[in-house]
Amino acid sequence: MAREPFYTGLVVDKSLTQKYDFNPYYAHIESSLGDPIIIDGTAFINLAANNYLGLAADPRVARAIALAAGRYGASMCGTPIATGSMAILTRLEQRLATFAGVEAGIIFPSAYQANGAIFLSLAGPEDLIIIDHYAHASLIQGVRLAGCKIRPFLHNNMDHLRKVLSKTEMYRRVFVVTESVFSTEGSLAPCDEIIRLCTQFNAVPVIDDSHGIGVLGRSGRGVLEEKNVVNFEGIYTASLGKALANAGGFVGGRKAFIEYLKYSCPAFIYSTALPPPVLAGVEAVLDIIDAEFPALSEKMWRYKRMISQGLVASGFNVTDGSAPITSIMVRDLDDCARLAKMIHEANILVTPFVPPSVPVHENKIRLIAGANLSEGTVGRVLDVFQSIGRRMTAV
Amino acid sequence: MSLQDRVIRTIEKNLEGKERTTITPATDLRHDLGVDSFAMLIIINALEDEFSITIAEKDFIGIAHVADIVARLQQHYPDLKEP
Ligand SMILES: Cc1ncc(COP(=O)(O)O)c(C=O)c1O
């Protein structure tokens, strides 16, 4: 086989970035997630990270991580089933389970890995997975890997979900997969209703709370607290790399399910456990949430309101999400690229979403203001968008 | 109702609730309606319900326009009668 045709066949479509001489992806950040952040030597306001509570660069978290590195070193150099299952890991797994409102849990190296792997251990050709049309790539990949029947349902559409659920007698197991918060637009899934429908039709709900943990609920414990769910009979997953400001993928549920995964899920068994300093970082963040959530959450929501209202006042079309996420909706791809470039030139880092991350004609530019920003910074953001809004209407 | 009309009506009822364009046989599923792979699956599942058939996904690979769906249905399910 000639290898050259293989490599020349690997093509990335860069026409849009070339046309505007601007690529918003893979920015070279040289600082911590402070206010500001430094990109290629220039100060930027960070509205891109999922650092909802602003704890990623908190000195208390950094200290806990440094202490753990001093005590345990860099890594346990083993998978959980071997040397990776250290006391700090099992302690954090139980703490996260209690925090999120499930019986037990385990921590994967990432939520992508967890979502991508658990279905393979749970479902096969006799089973059905029903999944929200707009579910995260990791869930879609995991569900596809299981090799079972897949029926997507229209996004957050409970009539459609009920209709799909009403035709499931022929399957052995039925799962309903969704996210608590859909992160490109900030919409919330009606998880209470989904759980009720699952109970009615004997299906197992699977909820990815990656953007809900540390954000939703009276004390930041996520979707199950937000929806007052007790004795959750489903499967819970969440990234520890967003509001919890570290890294890792938590999977929670009934004890029997977790015990089963520990001996049946290759992506858990055969992948090096997270390093102890990361686990200590999550513990430090949980301590801060326990003590300070009301104040942090008040800031996070105040900034979200300021940004949403400011953008609307400046003439932008935004999603009316109920999460601390504001997305500007731009129908035309070229308009989206132009707007993204203008925002970047004003030294604000945001996240543009274009297909295939979002449907065609539903391009979005997402803004997330972490609770570590100052009110002055958010004010500067609004000034910038007012001026961009004027320039856009002038064209 | 003709097979084509039933297909169009089924697609209309199974799209995300966004702005609507009139669907014709020439409508491009991806470019005009934003149909991605999961949206295609939703449509296929709805057609299964509408016509009480089981569709093998491989029979629906490479669909671009609404007319292609009608043609594939006629090809693989010749017994579908127009009521
Ligand atoms: C909804 C959702 N699930 C899972 C993930 C993956 O999480 P992780 O970064 O921990 O792999 C993400 C994004 O990173 C996400 O947005």
Side-chain angles (χ1 to χ4, degrees), chain A residues 133-134 151 155 331 362, chain B residues 16 18-19 31 36 45:
Chain A
H133 180 187
Y134 292 162
R151 289 201 66 165
H155 178 53
R331 193 185 149 79
E362 290 183 40
Chain B
E16 293 295 344
K18 305 283 157 44
E19 66 205 271
H31 293 106
D36 55 22
N45 292 150

Side-chain angles (χ1 to χ4, degrees), chain B residues 46-64:
Chain B
L47 292 168
E48 291 182 318
D49 292 346
E50 170 71 17
F51 295 106
S52 304
I53 53 176
T54 305
I55 294 174
E57 270 171 57
K58 65 172 174 38
D59 294 342
F60 269 61
I61 289 171
I63 295 262

